[in-house]
C-alpha cells in the first residue's frame, strides 16, 4: 500500500478561523481522501501556531496570559474542523512539551555544529511580520508585505547560516522541477534566490518578546516563531508510523498559501539541510480567496462571510464550491452570485437531476431494483461512449490528484454526469417505458442500468469532496462499492441537491 502524508500550515491563534484557514484545511482533507480512495495509507496533520508576537499581543489586548489565550483560541480551530467534515490524523499545538523539546534539541544540535552564531544586528523591524527588512526591501519606507510602519532596532541576536545553503537549495529545485508547485511559484523562488541569501535571525530577546521557546544555549532569548513553527511538521509525527511501519516524515505535500512561500521554500529546507533531515517531497502553494480585490479574512466589505454558507447551504455544498471554484495556485473570488450559479448548475441541475431521474425511473419501471442489462447492452455504442466518460474521469482523478488539480478533476467527473443527462435526452427512457415492444424494454433496462453505473462512479469520485452527500447518493443507488451487476435494491429517494432559489 503506498503512503501519503500531507500538512497544512499551523494557524496563528491571534484570531478566530476564517475562510482562508478553512480552504487550506479542506484542500488537505480532500487530497488526503483522494489518496485513501485510490488505496493509499493517507494521513494529514493540521494544528495551531501558538507562540510569537502576534499571539502575545492578542493575549495582552484581552488582558489574559498568553497560555490562557492559546488554550481558548486553539479550541476555535479544533472545533471548526468537524463542522467542515475534516478528517485530520493529528492536531498539533506548538505549546505542547514534546514540540518545545524537539525545537530546543534541534537548535542545540545546530549550535554545536557551528551553524548558529550571534552578532549585534541593526535593521528595520516590522512588528506585523515579526521580522527585519533590508532598507532596499522597504516600500515607501514601510513593511513591503503588510504596508505597515517599521521601526529601527539594534540588538544582539542569533543567526542561522542560511546563506551557506543557497547553492544546494538552487540545485535541489533545479533537479526536482515539481518540488514546488505550481511551476510559476517555483520560478518565483528561483528568482528570489538569484540575489545573495542573508543568514536567518532565529532569536528574539526576551526583553522584547517573552512568549516563545527559550533558546537552549542562551535563555535570555526565545526562538523566532517561524523556526519553532516549521519544525511542527516533523515534531508532530516523530512517534507516528504508516501502517507498513515506515515513518511519516518526509511529508509528501506541504500545502500552504502563497503568502508563506519564502518561509517554506527557503527557511525550512535550509534548516532541514543543516539538520541532515530529508526534504519534503512537494510544496504546494495555493492562491487567495479574494473579495473586492483584497485578501479575504473574517468578513468582507460586502458583508459576505463565507463561513455563514456552511450553516445556510450545508457543509458538502460549501466544500464543493471551494474545490471546484479555485484553480489550485490562482486567486479566486468568493461571491454570492457565483456560489448560487455554481451550486445550481453543477449540483442541482446536472448531478441532482440525473440522480433523481434514474432513481425514479428504476423505481417505477423495475420495482426499485437496478435492472440487469440484457446481453445486447454490452455492445451498445452509446453505452460504450457514456461509460468511457466515467473511465476517463477515474483515470484523470488518479493521474492529477498528485498535483492537486482538483478543480479539473471535479470538472471531469461532472462531464460524465452531463454526458449521462444528454444520453437520457437522446434515449428518452420515459418514452421507452410506454412501449410494449421487447427491444424497447431491453433498451430501457440498458439505459437505466448504464445511467445508474455512471452515477455510482461519479458519486464515488466525488466522495472526497462531498463525503456525506456522496454516501447518501450511494445508498440511493443500491449501496454498491463495485461495478453494478443489476438486482441491487435502491434506497429511499431524496432531493440531495435542492436548487438555491434566492438571488441577491
Ligand atoms: N502561522 C503561520 C504558518 C506557519 S506554518 C509552519 C501563518 N498562519 S496564518 O494563520 O496566518 O495562516 C496562513 C495560511 O492561511 C495561509 O498560508 C493560507 O493557507 C491560509 N489563508 C489565509 N488567508 C487566506 C485567503 N484569503 N485565501 C486562502 N488562504 C489564505 O501564516
Amino acid at each position: 500500500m503506498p503512503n501519503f502524508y500531507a500538512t497544512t500550515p499551523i494557524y496563528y491563534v491571534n484570531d478566530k478561523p476564517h475562510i482562508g484557514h478553512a480552504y487550506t484545511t479542506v484542500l488537505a482533507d480532500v487530497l488526503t481522501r483522494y489518496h485513501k480512495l485510490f488505496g493509499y495509507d493517507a494521513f494529514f496533520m493540521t494544528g495551531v501556531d501558538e507562540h510569537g508576537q502576534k499571539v502575545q499581543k492578542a493575549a495582552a489586548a484581552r488582558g489574559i496570559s498568553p497560555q490562557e489565550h492559546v488554550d481558548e483560541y486553539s479550541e476555535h480551530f479544533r472545533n471548526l474542523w468537524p463542522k467542515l467534515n475534516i478528517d485530520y490524523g493529528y492536531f498539533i499545538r506548538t505549546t505542547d512539551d514534546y514540540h518545545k523539546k524537539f525545537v530546543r534539541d534541534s537548535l542545540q544540535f545546530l549550535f554545536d555544529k557551528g551553524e548558529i552564531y550571534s552578532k549585534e544586528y541593526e535593521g528595520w523591524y516590522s512588528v506585523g511580520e515579526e521580522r527585519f527588512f533590508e532598507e532596499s526591501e522597504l516600500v515607501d519606507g514601510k513593511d513591503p508585505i503588510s504596508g505597515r510602519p517599521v521601526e529601527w532596532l539594534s540588538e544582539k541576536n542569533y543567526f542561522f547560516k542560511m546563506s551557506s545553503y543557497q547553492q544546494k537549495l538552487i540545485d535541489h529545485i533545479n533537479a526536482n522541477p515539481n518540488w514546488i508547485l505550481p511551476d510559476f511559484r517555483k520560478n518565483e523562488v528561483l528568482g528570489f534566490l538569484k540575489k545573495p541569501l542573508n543568514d536567518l535571525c532565529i532569536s528574539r530577546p526576551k526583553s522584547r518578546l517573552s512568549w516563545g521557546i527559550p533558546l537552549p544555549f542562551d535563555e535570555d532569548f526565545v526562538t523566532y516563531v517561524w523556526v519553532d513553527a516549521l519544525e511542527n511538521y516533523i515534531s508532530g509525527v516523530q512517534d507516528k508510523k504508516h501502517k507498513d511501519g515506515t515513518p511519516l516524515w518526509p511529508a509528501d505535500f506541504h500545502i500552504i498559501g502563497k503568502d508563506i512561500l519564502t518561509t517554506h521554500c527557503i527557511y525550512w529546507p535550509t534548516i532541514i539541510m543543516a539538520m541532515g533531515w530529508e526534504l519534503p517531497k512537494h510544496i504546494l502553494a495555493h492562491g487567495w480567496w479574494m473579495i473586492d480585490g483584497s485578501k479575504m479574512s473574517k468578513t468582507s466589505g460586502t458583508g459576505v462571510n463565507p463561513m455563514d454558507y456552511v450553516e445556510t447551504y450545508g457543509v458538502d455544498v460549501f466544500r464543493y464550491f471551494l474545490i471546484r471554484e479555485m484553480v489550485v495556485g490562482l486567486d479566486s473570488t468568493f461571491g454570492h452570485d457565483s456560489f448560487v450559479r455554481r451550486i445550481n448548475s453543477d449540483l442541482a441541475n446536472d448531478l441532482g437531476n440525473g440522480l433523481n431521474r434514474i432513481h425514479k425511473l428504476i423505481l417505477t419501471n423495475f420495482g426499485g431494483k437496478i435492472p440487469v442489462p440484457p446481453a445486447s447492452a454490452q455492445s451498445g455504442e452509446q453505452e460504450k461512449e457514456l461509460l468511457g466518460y466515467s473511465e476517463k474521469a477515474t483515470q484523470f482523478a488518479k493521474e492529477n490528484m498528485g498535483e492537486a488539480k482538483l478543480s479539473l478533476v471535479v470538472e471531469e467527473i461532472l462531464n460524465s454526469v452531463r454526458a449521462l443527462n444528454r444520453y437520457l435526452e437522446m434515449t428518452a427512457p420515459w418514452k421507452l417505458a410506454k412501449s410494449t415492444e421487447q427491444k424497447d424494454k431491453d433498451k430501457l433496462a440498458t439505459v437505466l442500468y448504464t445511467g445508474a453505473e455512471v452515477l455510482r462512479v461519479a458519486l464515488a469520485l466525488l466522495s472526497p469532496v462531498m463525503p456525506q452527500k456522496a454516501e447518501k447518493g450511494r445508498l440511493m443507488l443500491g449501496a454498491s462499492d463495485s461495478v453494478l451487476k443489476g438486482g441491487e435494491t435502491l434506497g429511499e429517494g431524496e432531493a440531495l441537491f435542492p436548487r438555491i432559489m434566492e438571488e441577491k
Side-chain angles (χ1 to χ4, degrees):
M1 188 186 242
N3 292 324
F4 179 77
Y5 163 45
T7 65
T8 73
I10 49 171
Y11 306 113
Y12 284 128
V13 287
N14 58 334
D15 209 342
K16 294 192 178 155
H18 57 68
I19 172 83
H21 309 125
Y23 174 70
T24 312
T25 315
V26 167
L27 180 60
D29 184 61
V30 172
L31 204 56
T32 303
R33 287 177 187 262
Y34 267 113
H35 281 82
K36 283 186 184 156
L37 184 70
F38 292 121
Y40 284 69
D41 179 24
F43 176 99
F44 91 92
M45 181 167 75
T46 188
V48 282
D49 190 353
E50 302 188 310
H51 292 124
Q53 198 138 359
K54 285 187 190 180
V55 175
Q56 181 170 294
K57 268 189 165 177
R62 298 178 66 216
I64 57 174
S65 74
Q67 190 63 54
E68 279 175 289
H69 173 81
V70 299
D71 285 346
E72 188 184 324
Y73 269 56
S74 61
E75 289 304 299
H76 292 308
F77 285 85
R78 207 200 289 268
N79 294 338
L80 174 65
W81 303 141
K83 290 187 194 143
L84 292 180
N85 243 326
I86 301 291
D87 184 20
Y88 59 76
Y90 187 64
F91 185 93
I92 185 168
R93 294 184 58 184
T94 53
T95 51
D96 280 344
D97 283 343
Y98 72 85
H99 173 77
K100 291 193 257 187
K101 178 176 184 324
F102 186 91
V103 171
R104 280 166 64 90
D105 287 352
S106 67
L107 289 176
Q108 186 66 53
F109 175 86
L110 292 179
F111 187 74
D112 294 344
K113 207 179 148 207
E115 298 278 1
I116 289 174
Y117 62 92
S118 71
K119 73 168 183 192
E120 202 66 34
Y121 187 80
E122 280 193 321
W124 292 107
Y125 186 77
S126 158
V127 176
E129 293 301 314
E130 292 177 49
R131 54 170 280 202
F132 284 95
F133 287 100
E134 303 280 316
E135 177 92 39
S136 59
E137 289 178 281
L138 302 182
V139 175
D140 297 332
K142 293 190 174 146
D143 169 342
I145 297 173
S146 68
R148 278 180 283 190
V150 287
E151 49 191 300
W152 184 256
L153 278 185
S154 167
E155 62 188 24
K156 174 188 162 184
N157 263 310
Y158 286 89
F159 290 80
F160 160 56
K161 292 180 181 167
M162 186 160 78
S163 58
S164 59
Y165 291 94
Q166 177 160 10
Q167 193 53 46
K168 205 172 163 193
L169 180 59
I170 295 172
D171 293 345
H172 182 79
I173 296 173
N174 286 328
N176 298 277
N178 64 358
W179 187 55
I180 301 170
L181 294 166
D183 211 42
F184 63 93
R185 295 283 172 223
K186 173 191 80 180
N187 296 333
E188 202 177 306
V189 175
L190 282 173
F192 186 86
L193 286 167
K194 285 205 173 102
K195 285 181 281 178
L197 209 52
N198 292 321
D199 287 342
L200 180 66
C201 178
I202 57 135
S203 63
R204 296 293 180 262
K206 266 194 187 157
S207 51
R208 182 151 66 77
L209 172 71
S210 58
W211 186 236
I213 302 177
L215 291 184
F217 43 82
D218 189 339
E219 301 273 338
D220 289 338
F221 292 82
V222 297
T223 309
Y224 172 41
V225 68
W226 268 103
V227 173
D228 159 359
L230 288 161
E231 292 200 2
N232 93 87
Y233 297 135
I234 302 183
S235 78
V237 295
Q238 54 186 315
D239 59 347
K240 295 182 180 52
K241 298 230 172 354
H242 283 292
K243 289 186 184 123
D244 62 8
T246 51
L248 290 181
W249 189 260
D252 293 273
F253 270 93
H254 283 323
I255 301 169
I256 60 169
K258 65 179 183 181
D259 47 327
I260 53 177
L261 192 68
T262 313
T263 48
H264 282 79
C265 299
I266 296 180
Y267 298 4
W268 180 221
T270 52
I271 293 171
I272 290 178
M273 286 170 177
M275 286 300 303
W277 292 327
E278 276 183 81
L279 288 167
K281 292 180 202 156
H282 300 283
I283 300 160
L284 174 75
H286 65 71
W288 283 341
W289 284 97
M290 310 283 285
I291 195 141
D292 297 337
S294 44
K295 184 183 172 197
M296 235 181 174
S297 57
K298 274 175 290 184
T299 49
S300 68
T302 56
V304 175
N305 180 359
M307 304 309 276
D308 292 344
Y309 283 63
V310 181
E311 291 289 320
T312 313
Y313 304 105
V315 56
D316 276 9
V317 161
F318 176 73
R319 287 168 60 110
Y320 181 84
F321 179 76
L322 295 187
I323 295 299
R324 173 61 189 84
E325 203 67 14
M326 181 171 267
V327 175
V328 174
L330 306 180
D331 292 345
S332 278
T333 299
F334 195 106
H336 180 76
D337 291 345
S338 56
F339 185 89
V340 172
R341 250 198 319 274
R342 174 62 70 194
I343 298 310
N344 280 347
S345 80
D346 287 10
L347 299 184
N349 284 359
D350 296 340
L351 182 57
N353 257 342
L355 188 59
N356 289 339
R357 276 165 151 184
I358 292 288
H359 187 269
K360 211 167 166 185
L361 284 162
I362 295 179
L363 208 62
T364 44
N365 295 293
F366 291 89
K369 280 195 190 307
I370 294 178
V372 180
S376 59
Q378 311 299 326
S379 54
E381 278 308 312
Q382 283 173 310
E383 287 70 31
K384 269 197 214 149
E385 191 190 326
L386 177 57
L387 291 167
Y389 279 95
S390 299
E391 188 57 35
K392 189 169 167 222
T394 309
Q395 232 12 66
F396 193 86
K398 272 188 197 159
E399 282 162 16
N400 290 281
M401 65 172 189
E403 288 194 21
K405 294 185 179 159
L406 298 179
S407 59
L408 299 178
V409 168
V410 169
E411 186 54 14
E412 260 332 303
I413 303 168
L414 261 289
N415 270 340
S416 73
V417 175
R418 289 183 198 116
L420 161 69
N421 284 324
R422 286 198 302 276
Y423 169 76
L424 292 181
E425 291 304 323
M426 268 182 326
T427 54
W430 40 89
K431 284 190 191 151
L432 295 171
K434 290 189 187 130
S435 166
T436 51
E437 283 188 47
Q438 188 56 41
K439 77 166 188 2
D440 289 342
K441 285 186 177 163
D442 283 356
K443 183 70 183 182
L444 180 64
T446 300
V447 169
L448 298 186
Y449 167 85
T450 314
E453 175 61 15
V454 169
L455 287 168
R456 184 192 66 79
V457 174
L459 288 165
L461 291 176
L462 284 170
S463 65
V465 185
M466 300 189 286
Q468 290 170 348
K469 297 272 182 192
E471 177 57 11
K472 286 187 174 171
R474 191 183 78 94
L475 295 177
M476 262 175 82
L477 289 177
S480 176
D481 288 324
S482 51
V483 183
L484 294 171
K485 293 189 184 70
E488 294 85 354
T489 308
L490 297 187
E492 290 267 313
E494 194 185 335
L496 279 189
F497 302 105
R499 204 178 164 72
I500 304 175
M501 300 311 282
E502 92 268 23
E503 300 280 340
K504 255 194 191 162

